[in-house]
Amino acid sequence: MSVLQEGTTVGAYRVQCLIKQNEYTETYKVVNEDDKPYFLKLYVIKMMPAALLGGEDHEVMEISVLRKIQHKNVVAYITHGTLDSPFGECQYVVTTYFTGDVLADRIAREGKLDEKTATEILSGVLEGLKCIHDVGFLHNDITPANIMLSDSMQGTPEIIDMGHVSQSCCGRIPFSNSDLDVNYCANSTAVGIFNEYTDLFSVCAVMYAMVTGRAPWEKEENTGSSFSVRMHGMKQFRKQNPLDLSDLPVSDKMKCVLEKGLSLTTMEGYTSVDELLFDLASAEPQKRRKPRERKDGGVLRNETSDAKQKQDQENIFVAKKGSGHGFEDIAGMQELKDLLQQKVIFVIQNKELAEQYRLTPPNGLLLYGPPGCGKTFIAEKFAEQTAFNFMIVKSSDLSSSYIHGTQQKIADLFKEAEKKAPTVLCFDEFDAFVPDRSFVKDNSFSSEVNEFLSQLNNCSKRGIFVIATSNRPDKIDPAVLRTGRIDKHIYVPLPDHDARREMFALYLKGRPCEEGIDLETLAAQTEGYIASDIAFMVNDAAMTAAFTHNVISQALLERTIRDTSPSVNEEVLKGYEKLQERMDGIERRELLSDGLGFKIR
């Protein structure tokens, strides 16, 4: 059921019909008093991810961006506002009503466009994208389906659908990526990296589609899979199928632009709109070096690439000693800290006693649970508690554009951790490193997962203790979670009352506050909120106080809590409860299958 019905009046506009909707937005065709058509996009605030709301008034980020932009190559903002509905508070924005050809339809109809026409469209898209980048945001979804060739402006390209706009992000993204088209996404988006390079990769992929009639790399979609799984599959497909631009029906200059723009690494691709516009305007854009041929007809590897590969291999992750106070730095969560101390650290630090009682020392630990609950922070404090060195690794750290390059990086990483032993080796978002192979069709994934399996085998004997964190442990390859690899699985729940109280104390420390802030009340009012929610609310209250030149008050904090919904809803929590039962079952089965020694919880 839609929020607005036909004939409903919103400000100076009358609703004609619903065009489309998703879980928290609805788009309508509306008309003004002169019956001139416009688009109205409505946002149901309580259904939106908190990260998509910003500023002291929690304005929808998409509205904030549209208000700052007035450019012929971007859909035009008209007005915005708020309204109350049976679904709670809603915000809306009115934009121009665009008609004409969607670029995707034109490509489908004509097959391909000539280079001159395609370049004109590309230049317009880049000018609009530059305007978005100049106000500090990214589009994140540049595809032929989101470019309109406007009838009202004689085919001028307009960037439409700003539903994925965000600032640069690395790891945790503030928008839903489930509907992104992996054919136009850069490889780094698989691990949540969105920046200027990823937008420009998409632009160049659109250019390729315009002159060929298809995306640069097209493969059968793994329907029903998450974006991460689909994108990792695309990465492997691209590695196995390098682009051949030699027969492309474009000029040598455009081939050079596309070669650079469709590079699979940020270091070799475009990182600013101005750089790409400069190359389009130049007589000869800067070319990437070509492989040199050998006398026997073979090919010598690019010397620049050789140097870069060597640099990548030498860029081993540095182990460090923590400067904190171990578990003392973790607010609350006493039950979890006791569990780690008794079931994991005790066995690690008392090897003789463990041998006497035939206890199997844990080889690795999986910390799993809802996002934003501090799993990576706990891993770092675990290393401090044990006085081990600490190395943290993200999926992008091990990515490589070279065949078998990732395997080599994995091997080098464990070798370096062994040199620095005893070492806690922490893999953040572990499901991205070792996805369940039964759901991934690309065979090339197996070699990387197999390398992990080999390195994980009893690595504790080499002085390496692995901690993996994940929001989706059900996506991890089961072979990784067996005895002798990641054999201890611990659920990290939402912060308890004591943890929330200490978090408020921590985030308020050093800020101008009124005397007598009641932390107990704040903790009681935030049951179901995660650590990042509390940090956001304290910061939001501080921004409001600073704007009005007042101290942070109890009333302001409580009002901010009322206005902020938890990031993790009840339905998601129920899903994690079922997941916890499943993971406990996996660990019990491994316990029964362990022939020597035993494990305790």
Side-chain angles (χ1 to χ4, degrees):
M1 180 178 177
S2 60
V3 176
L4 303 178
Q5 306 302 313
E6 182 179 347
T8 303
T9 299
V10 179
Y13 302 90
R14 185 178 74 257
V15 175
Q16 281 199 331
C17 63
L18 175 71
I19 297 175
K20 63 178 182 179
Q21 63 185 152
N22 62 25
E23 57 184 326
Y24 53 80
T25 67
E26 297 177 352
T27 302
Y28 299 85
K29 180 183 179 183
V30 298
V31 294
N32 66 3
E33 57 184 11
D34 298 323
D35 283 339
K36 183 178 179 180
Y38 295 88
F39 285 116
L40 183 148
K41 191 168 185 178
L42 188 77
Y43 310 83
V44 182
I45 300 303
K46 71 177 182 180
M47 302 297 292
M48 294 189 68
L52 291 182
L53 304 173
E56 63 180 49
D57 55 357
H58 292 180
E59 184 174 73
V60 173
M61 190 176 296
E62 183 175 359
I63 297 178
S64 299
V65 175
L66 286 170
R67 287 202 297 119
K68 295 176 182 178
I69 294 175
Q70 288 293 329
H71 195 280
K72 67 176 183 177
N73 297 116
V74 180
V75 58
Y77 162 87
I78 302 297
T79 188
H80 74 288
T82 62
L83 58 87
D84 293 324
S85 77
F87 300 89
E89 179 192 351
C90 297
Q91 295 181 27
Y92 68 86
V93 63
V94 177
T95 63
T96 51
Y97 187 81
F98 41 78
T99 59
D101 252 351
V102 174
L103 180 57
D105 294 339
R106 182 167 177 182
I107 293 173
R109 185 176 64 250
E110 298 184 14
K112 56 186 178 181
L113 310 182
D114 63 84
E115 181 178 350
K116 182 176 183 295
T117 301
T119 302
E120 290 174 353
I121 295 173
L122 176 69
S123 298
V125 171
L126 286 170
E127 292 292 349
L129 188 62
K130 176 176 170 56
C131 186
I132 297 172
H133 286 187
D134 284 348
V135 296
F137 288 88
L138 309 166
H139 186 274
N140 297 322
D141 192 20
I142 299 288
T143 71
N146 286 332
I147 298 170
M148 172 68 67
L149 306 177
S150 173
D151 275 348
S152 61
M153 293 190 290
Q154 293 75 49
T156 297
E158 288 183 73
I159 299 174
I160 61 174
D161 195 348
M162 308 284 282
H164 296 85
V165 292
S166 75
Q167 296 175 322
S168 296
C169 48
C170 180
R172 187 178 181 186
I173 60 173
F175 54 85
S176 172
N177 58 9
S178 60
D179 59 341
L180 292 181
D181 186 343
V182 298
N183 289 304
Y184 295 91
C185 290
N187 283 356
S188 57
T189 62
V191 291
I193 297 175
F194 289 82
N195 51 29
E196 287 83 355
Y197 157 74
T198 59
D199 260 358
L200 292 169
F201 178 95
S202 299
V203 170
C204 291
V206 169
M207 179 63 188
Y208 185 100
M210 285 193 285
V211 297
T212 65
R214 58 183 178 83
W217 293 270
E218 285 190 340
K219 65 187 290 290
E220 183 180 349
E221 282 278 12
N222 191 2
T223 56
S225 298
S226 68
F227 172 78
S228 178
V229 170
R230 289 185 289 119
M231 196 60 231
H232 276 288
M234 176 58 75
K235 284 176 61 178
Q236 298 304 316
F237 182 76
R238 287 170 176 168
K239 185 186 294 185
Q240 295 169 346
N241 298 275
L243 280 182
D244 182 3
L245 303 178
S246 59
D247 295 329
L248 216 60
V250 294
S251 64
D252 288 343
K253 182 180 86 167
M254 184 55 70
K255 288 177 184 178
C256 290
V257 168
L258 291 176
E259 183 182 17
K260 184 175 180 180
L262 294 174
S263 297
L264 299 181
T265 61
T266 306
M267 185 173 292
E268 296 180 336
Y270 288 107
T271 55
S272 76
V273 174
D274 285 338
E275 182 185 5
L276 178 48
L277 285 171
F278 178 84
D279 275 4
L280 285 174
S282 299
E284 284 192 40
Q286 183 66 40
K287 297 182 179 180
R288 291 168 57 197
R289 294 182 60 179
K290 304 288 186 181
R292 293 188 289 112
E293 292 187 358
R294 296 194 314 226
K295 291 181 180 180
D296 60 3
V299 175
L300 290 173
R301 290 183 299 176
N302 188 325
E303 293 172 357
T304 303
S305 296
D306 284 346
K308 180 179 179 295
Q309 184 177 21
K310 182 178 180 181
Q311 181 183 11
D312 284 346
Q313 291 173 347
E314 291 175 350
N315 187 25
I316 303 300
F317 312 94
V318 179
K320 65 176 183 178
K321 285 281 187 182
S323 57
H325 304 90
F327 286 171
E328 291 181 15
D329 293 338
I330 300 176
M333 313 289 278
Q334 192 59 46
E335 185 177 349
L336 174 63
K337 290 186 284 189
D338 289 345
L339 181 65
L340 290 170
Q341 187 70 51
Q342 296 169 14
K343 309 301 185 184
V344 181
I345 296 176
F346 174 81
V347 182
I348 291 175
Q349 293 182 333
N350 294 274
K351 293 184 178 179
E352 292 183 3
L353 197 60
E355 289 179 5
Q356 179 183 349
Y357 283 86
R358 299 180 63 198
L359 300 175
T360 302
N363 189 70
L365 168 67
L366 173 67
L367 297 175
Y368 70 96
C373 291
K375 295 181 287 293
T376 306
F377 179 73
I378 291 170
E380 184 174 358
K381 295 304 162 182
F382 178 98
E384 292 174 359
Q385 190 74 12
T386 56
F388 284 12
N389 287 312
F390 181 69
M391 301 170 70
I392 183 167
V393 190
K394 299 182 183 298
S395 177
S396 58
D397 295 331
L398 296 180
S399 64
S400 174
S401 58
Y402 304 100
I403 297 174
H404 306 308
T406 296
Q407 288 173 256
Q408 184 61 50
K409 282 191 171 186
I410 295 168
D412 289 344
L413 171 64
F414 276 84
K415 188 181 298 183
E416 183 70 10
E418 186 174 0
K419 286 181 185 178
K420 305 295 184 182
T423 302
V424 169
L425 191 51
C426 177
F427 293 97
D428 196 25
E429 301 297 344
F430 197 50
D431 46 292
F433 291 92
V434 284
D436 190 338
R437 288 169 290 178
S438 62
F439 294 105
V440 180
K441 296 180 181 179
D442 300 272
N443 293 329
S444 56
F445 255 123
S446 298
S447 60
E448 295 174 10
V449 175
N450 286 338
E451 182 66 33
F452 258 110
L453 296 178
S454 174
Q455 294 294 339
L456 286 169
N457 276 331
N458 300 309
C459 62
S460 61
K461 294 180 180 179
R462 293 183 280 157
I464 303 170
F465 185 75
V466 173
I467 297 183
T469 73
S470 178
N471 301 330
R472 293 301 306 272
D474 52 323
K475 301 294 184 182
I476 297 174
D477 194 283
V480 176
L481 301 178
R482 74 159 179 80
T483 307
R485 290 173 182 154
I486 308 296
D487 43 22
K488 198 71 183 169
H489 314 149
I490 293 182
Y491 179 70
V492 180
L494 269 62
D496 57 22
H497 180 94
D498 291 342
R500 297 194 301 275
R501 181 191 63 234
E502 296 304 316
M503 285 175 189
F504 273 109
L506 174 67
Y507 295 133
L508 288 169
K509 185 177 180 180
R511 301 181 193 253
C513 300
E514 70 177 9
E515 292 185 10
I517 294 289
D518 189 347
L519 300 177
E520 289 289 345
T521 298
L522 297 177
Q525 293 180 354
T526 50
E527 184 175 357
Y529 288 74
I530 60 177
S532 56
D533 289 338
I534 294 174
F536 169 82
M537 289 185 291
V538 171
N539 192 60
D540 190 64
M543 288 175 64
T544 301
F547 185 76
T548 57
H549 299 284
N550 289 315
V551 296
I552 303 171
S553 66
Q554 181 82 20
L556 177 57
L557 287 165
E558 292 185 15
R559 184 169 74 245
T560 305
I561 292 170
R562 289 194 299 271
D563 292 342
T564 306
S565 300
S567 296
V568 182
N569 60 40
E570 188 174 345
E571 184 178 347
V572 171
L573 284 178
K574 289 180 180 178
Y576 273 104
E577 290 173 2
K578 294 179 180 178
L579 186 58
Q580 183 181 8
E581 293 176 3
R582 178 182 171 187
M583 296 301 294
D584 286 347
I586 291 174
E587 189 169 27
R588 283 194 294 272
R589 286 195 297 274
E590 288 297 334
L591 171 62
L592 292 174
S593 65
D594 190 10
L596 296 174
F598 61 93
K599 296 180 187 158
I600 56 175
R601 285 192 61 82

